[in-house]
Amino acid sequence: MRLRKAFAATAVSLIAATGLVACGDAGNDDKEGVDVEAKSDCDGKFAEGSRMAELSEAGKINVGHKDDQPGLGFEGATDDRPSGFDIEVAKLLIADLCIDPESDDVNWEVTISDNREPFLEQGKVDLVLASYSITDERRLKVGQAGPYMVTGQQLLVKADSDVESIDDLKGKEVCSVTGSTSIDRIDEKGAKGVGFDSYSECVAKVLDGTVEGMSTDGTILAGFAAENEGQLKVVGDTFSEENIGVGYSKDKPEMCEWINDVLTASFEDGSWAKAFEITLGPSGVETPEPPALDPCA
């Protein structure tokens, strides 16, 4: 827990305290990303009949991701594939299956907050890396391994706003995305949570004054504040702890240990830190220590 709290303090609270969101452009990620090469030999690597063996033998994989979160999961109109920290972590997992993460053998499936569980339950995607908070409720429906990032919920408001925290917006409308845990946290703080289909739509509503503010993980807000420098700012201390993990089918429990093993290796060899630096680093956030992983059931 100590590492998780250190992560949240470093990656979120300092954003608001120092104004670092204006120092870079989290939307313009290094499109090349981390140099991740697919493992060359997976023969006998995975247990026969395991989902990892099936994916490796097929040489194809479907990955659910966000496309409207600068620095985490973003895909512009002219981009060939998504970019961001979620995407870089996904590439580490894909490469471990001996699948080239830069090839057309990877189907990057845009996944909004409201359909992450259905997509996994229906087999439409094999993995979900989409700022996916780990919760007990979600683990009743799908598998979640990790976390590979720990953050906390904050508030995004217009740059000229006098609002200093979520406590200043009791009874006022604050938006997030439908199906996210952020709506519940907003309501718990006494504001009125309003859900939209995408973060981009929510940001637009803040900019045009339809809602007083937007609330979700601080790292997501930092990206939008950097993208809208001079127009938006992140305010207030964190009022939740969000453990961001990898989603997989509950019918494939063997995937948990594999995901955690790949994450552990990336923590140790520096690839996780490099992924963080090139995606979230441009917003001014310092690279934290890796979080502690939840044990697999």
Side-chain angles (χ1 to χ4, degrees):
M1 184 60 71
R2 179 180 62 81
L3 286 179
R4 293 185 182 180
K5 290 188 181 298
F7 190 115
T10 302
V12 182
S13 295
L14 288 181
I15 293 172
T18 64
L20 287 174
V21 291
C23 297
D25 186 350
N28 292 333
D29 301 326
D30 181 348
K31 299 301 180 184
E32 296 303 317
V34 178
D35 185 16
V36 179
E37 294 186 4
K39 299 293 175 63
S40 60
D41 185 9
C42 284
D43 288 343
K45 178 178 179 179
F46 303 111
E48 185 176 353
S50 68
R51 186 55 180 157
M52 296 84 73
E54 292 172 351
L55 291 169
S56 183
E57 290 167 9
K60 295 181 181 296
I61 189 170
N62 300 307
V63 180
H65 69 94
K66 292 292 183 68
D67 67 348
D68 65 342
Q69 295 179 358
L72 289 169
F74 185 83
E75 187 171 8
T78 60
D79 295 338
D80 293 331
R81 57 178 57 89
S83 60
F85 187 57
D86 287 346
I87 308 306
E88 294 302 323
V89 174
K91 286 162 60 177
L92 295 171
L93 294 164
I94 295 165
D96 194 69
L97 295 169
C98 293
I99 300 172
D100 181 358
E102 303 295 340
S103 72
D104 292 337
D105 293 327
V106 182
N107 173 41
W108 297 100
E109 187 76 31
V110 176
T111 308
I112 63 173
S113 294
D114 219 19
N115 64 21
R116 290 174 295 195
E117 288 88 43
F119 274 17
L120 287 168
E121 291 173 318
Q122 297 162 10
K124 187 168 185 176
V125 297
D126 303 295
L127 298 172
V128 167
L129 292 95
S131 58
Y132 202 12
S133 296
I134 297 172
T135 69
D136 291 339
E137 182 179 4
R138 286 172 176 162
R139 279 178 164 166
L140 294 175
K141 299 178 180 180
V142 300
Q144 289 187 303
Y148 60 87
M149 180 170 67
V150 179
T151 182
Q153 193 165 333
Q154 284 182 281
L155 185 67
L156 184 74
V157 296
K158 296 177 75 169
D160 60 358
S161 173
D162 293 330
V163 171
E164 297 181 350
S165 75
I166 189 70
D167 295 328
D168 295 330
L169 293 179
K170 293 184 184 299
K172 301 292 183 65
E173 290 189 342
V174 175
C175 68
S176 194
V177 292
T178 303
S180 71
T181 57
S182 301
I183 295 289
D184 296 333
R185 303 292 89 76
I186 293 169
D187 292 339
E188 288 170 3
K189 298 298 287 186
K192 296 180 180 179
V194 179
F196 291 102
D197 290 338
S198 70
Y199 287 103
S200 297
E201 185 179 2
C202 189
V203 169
K205 297 300 182 182
V206 176
L207 287 169
D208 69 18
T210 301
V211 296
E212 296 284 340
M214 168 182 174
S215 186
T216 188
D217 300 347
T219 46
I220 297 173
L221 300 181
F224 284 117
E227 191 176 45
N228 297 275
E229 183 176 352
Q231 295 180 282
L232 297 172
K233 62 182 179 180
V234 181
V235 298
D237 294 330
T238 60
F239 54 93
S240 74
E241 181 177 281
E242 305 295 332
N243 301 314
I244 308 303
V246 182
Y248 60 94
S249 171
K250 197 173 180 66
D251 294 334
K252 308 294 181 182
E254 69 273 15
M255 296 189 82
C256 183
E257 292 288 358
W258 165 67
I259 292 168
N260 277 359
D261 286 347
V262 174
L263 291 177
T264 297
S266 73
F267 295 164
E268 295 174 349
D269 66 18
S271 54
W272 176 88
K274 184 177 180 183
F276 191 98
E277 290 163 7
I278 67 171
T279 55
L280 292 170
S283 69
V285 180
E286 294 182 9
T287 303
E289 292 294 319
L293 299 175
D294 291 343
C296 296

